[in-house]
């Protein structure tokens, strides 16, 4: 039921008895996410407990305590200077460096509204949650006009239950979120307080379903938005709006608290730094791969399209099919990654260990027959694996590590996040590996979860070629917003030549036409997205894990120390630096002592800069950055 229009059924706290009990059980978890040694905030935080909202909620079964308690716990745990007030007169005392939290203040009277607008015009920073001022002092519905006037953001309506977009997906590596992984599925629940769909400013999180279904641009509507400036009198205040009420926090307390803590950090202009997910300042990574099986000859069309885009793809090859096309396999290995998809198209899940091992060894041998062998591995082949029908288990991954594989392109269930993950399978037995690889204790498996729809999903939705092309382009653009790993998986039987596919009725040109649409959209230049094969993405993720960052904020600067493990330099490491003021670029006060570790500054967007290291040698590196 919609709160805003059906107040008799709910309020922000319509599920309050349950919500309060859950929230009271929430312990301090932000230490798991926080940055080292947070700087003391220049401003203070006021948690505004509207007396008008407090009077309104009991009449609709609500309770304001359910909205306030999460903030009290967070502010106390983070030791942020703050106070709480229910008097609108106290709003007048706030200074431009202060932050006001307005927690789901659904009902506001006239003096409160005027005080809030004056505060906004003075440049006080605002954190507004859910539906602010949609009812007047007598509880009558007035719409979202006041909230829109206060924040400058647009409320596009409520999230309809039928849409099943019950997950919040944070955008990673933004000024508002340096901690939670890109695309993590955070459960919103089916609350009476329907979340609001937002637009304007910068998007910090989106609403989507479990599968992260994006079929058209705009499908992933904003759940969090943020911006700076906009006060009528030239105020430079920052504004953040959460489209959901605090009653959602109980479903995943650590995640929601991390989002709230980071919003406050940004509003208070505290200096921060974080290692970016991707190298060389790239916004996102994109793997485009083919499960190369029936219709193996269609791989040439896929290769040519990838080359037209000036990018390399990955071919996870079924070895029984690959050996029937030796010349094509050798051609693919010259410019792309040739990796492994099993020897026959049957899954591995539940099979005994010895049978799985025999199958994997046969697969390696059959590819080796075509490509030859080098150091005990098929010459020129990658070290990636993708299970037929995405069917595998822990035994499969343990054997992959034992045999010297380095990455596994897995199913959407493998991870709640849309980033790679490092895995040390418990059942991996130490074995003698081919030269260049290491045992499971020192070289984990990199799992690349497929976090988007594949061609079989599109076929299940009965989409035509034009619709699939539109969906693939929309997904690519959404991944740029998300800052995550895009993994577009196609099957060779769905990549037929559009001029000849009728000769093979089991094959379709569905994904041929869709990838052509993506190639036209992206072109040969893709500066923001790092389009790379699976082995390069996995290698980067392992390299990134060798670097540790210690940041020590001090006034308007950051003292940074980077520690690089291992024996080889890390290429392209990027540090993200949220700007304390829009348009004021950071300055390097002191470069690392090693000439090879010199960094260059780049502006990524309105609120974020980056330090990009072409090469970072092993050892400790110290530098100082001024953030005016």
């Amino acid at each position: 039921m919609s709160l805003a229009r059906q107040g008799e059924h709910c309020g922000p706290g319509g599920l309050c008895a349950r919500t309060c009990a859950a929230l009271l059980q929430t312990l301090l978890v932000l230490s798991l996410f926080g940055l080292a040694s947070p700087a003391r905030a220049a401003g203070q935080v006021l948690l505004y407990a509207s007396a008008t909202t407090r009077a309104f909620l009991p009449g609709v079964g609500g309770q304001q305590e359910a909205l306030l308690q999460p903030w009290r716990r967070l502010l106390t745990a983070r030791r942020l200077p703050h106070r709480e007030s229910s008097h609108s007169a106290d709003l007048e005392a706030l200074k431009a460096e202060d932050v006001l939290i307005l927690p789901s203040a659904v009902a506001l009277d006239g003096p409160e509204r005027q005080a809030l607008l004056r505060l906004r015009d003075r440049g006080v920073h605002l954190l507004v949650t859910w539906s602010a001022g949609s009812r007047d002092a007598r509880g009558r519905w007035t719409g979202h006009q006041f909230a829109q006037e206060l924040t400058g953001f647009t409320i596009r309506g409520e999230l309809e239950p039928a849409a099943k977009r019950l997950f919040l997906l944070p955008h990673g590596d933004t000024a508002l979120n340096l901690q939670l992984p890109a695309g993590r599925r955070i459960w919103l629940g089916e609350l009476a307080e329907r979340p609001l769909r937002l637009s304007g400013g910068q998007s910090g999180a989106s609403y989507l379903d479990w599968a992260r279904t994006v079929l058209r641009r705009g499908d992933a509507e904003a759940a969090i938005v943020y911006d700076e400036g906009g006060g009528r009198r030239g105020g430079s205040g920052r504004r953040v709006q959460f489209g959901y009420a605090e009653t959602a926090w109980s479903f995943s307390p650590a995640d929601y608290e991390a989002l709230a803590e980071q919003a406050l950090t940004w509003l208070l202009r505290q200096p921060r730094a974080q290692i970016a997910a991707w190298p060389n300042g790239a916004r996102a990574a994109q793997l485009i791969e083919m499960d190369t099986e029936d219709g193996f000859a269609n791989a040439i069309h896929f290769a040519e399209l990838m080359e037209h885009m000036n990018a390399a793809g990955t071919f996870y090859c079924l070895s029984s099919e690959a050996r029937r096309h030796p010349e094509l396999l050798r051609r693919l290995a010259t410019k792309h990654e040739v990796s492994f998809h099993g020897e026959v198209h049957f899954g591995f899940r539940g099979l005994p260990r010895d049978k799985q091992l025999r199958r994997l060894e046969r697969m390696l041998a059959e590819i080796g027959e075509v490509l030859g062998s080098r150091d005990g591995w098929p010459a020129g082949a990658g070290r990636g694996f993708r299970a037929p029908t995405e069917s595998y288990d822990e035994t499969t991954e343990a054997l992959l590590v034992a045999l010297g594989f380095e990455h596994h392109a897995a199913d959407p269930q493998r991870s709640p996040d849309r980033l790679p993950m490092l895995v040390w399978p418990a059942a991996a037995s130490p074995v003698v590996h081919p030269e260049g690889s290491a045992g499971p204790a020192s070289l984990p498996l990199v799992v690349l979860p497929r976090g988007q729809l594949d061609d079989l999903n599109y076929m299940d939705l009965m989409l035509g070629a034009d619709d699939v092309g539109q969906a693939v382009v929309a997904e690519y653009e959404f991944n740029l917003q998300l800052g995550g790993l895009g993994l577009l998986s196609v099957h060779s039987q769905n990549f037929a030549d559009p001029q000849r596919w009728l000769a093979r009725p089991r094959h379709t040109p569905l994904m041929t036409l869709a990838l052509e649409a993506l190639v036209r959209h992206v072109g040969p230049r893709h500066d923001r997205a790092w389009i790379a094969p699976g082995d390069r993405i996995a290698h980067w993720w392992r390299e990134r894990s060798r670097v540790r960052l210690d940041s020590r904020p001090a006034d308007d600067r950051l003292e940074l120390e980077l520690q690089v493990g291992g024996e080889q330099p890390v290429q392209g490491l990027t540090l993200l630096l949220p700007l304390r003021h829009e348009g004021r670029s950071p300055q390097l006060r002191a470069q690392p002592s090693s000439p090879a570790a010199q960094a260059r500054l780049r502006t990524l967007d309105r609120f974020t800069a980056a330090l990009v290291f072409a090469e970072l040698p092993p050892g400790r590196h110290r530098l100082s950055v001024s953030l005016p």
Side-chain angles (χ1 to χ4, degrees), residues 46 69 95 112 173 207 212 316 346 399 429 462 467 619:
L46 176 66
Q69 189 64 18
K95 304 181 183 65
E112 287 177 310
D173 284 359
Y207 301 116
R212 304 186 183 95
Y316 295 105
F346 294 101
L399 287 170
S429 301
M462 295 186 290
D467 290 333

Side-chain angles (χ1 to χ4, degrees), residues 588-602:
L588 273 170
R589 297 163 60 105
Q591 282 269 18
S593 55
S594 170
Q598 300 299 294
R600 60 186 176 89
L601 277 164
R602 284 181 54 185

Side-chain angles (χ1 to χ4, degrees), residues 326-363:
E327 293 303 320
L328 176 55
L329 186 67
R330 287 190 280 268
R331 152 70 167 93
L332 298 177
T334 61
K335 294 185 178 180
H336 303 273
E337 176 193 357
V338 167
S339 273
F340 303 88
H341 190 44
E343 87 295 17
V344 291
H345 204 260
F346 294 101
F348 282 73
R349 184 184 294 117
L351 295 180
R353 185 181 190 278
D354 61 340
K355 186 168 184 177
Q356 292 200 37
L357 178 59
R358 286 196 301 272
R359 289 187 60 187
L360 292 171
E361 289 176 335
R362 179 182 171 190
M363 171 190 73

Side-chain angles (χ1 to χ4, degrees), residues 111-158:
E112 287 177 310
R113 293 168 189 259
Q114 292 305 312
L116 288 167
L117 292 175
R118 288 193 297 270
L119 171 151
R120 175 208 62 186
D121 293 340
R122 295 198 305 274
V124 174
H125 309 310
L126 299 173
L127 203 170
V128 178
T129 67
W130 196 51
S131 181
S134 59
R135 293 183 180 273
D136 64 15
R138 298 174 64 181
R140 295 174 298 193
W141 167 252
T142 59
H144 297 299
Q145 290 84 353
F146 174 75
Q148 295 180 136
E149 183 181 6
L150 177 66
T151 65
F153 304 128
T154 299
I155 297 174
R156 299 168 60 86
E158 297 173 345

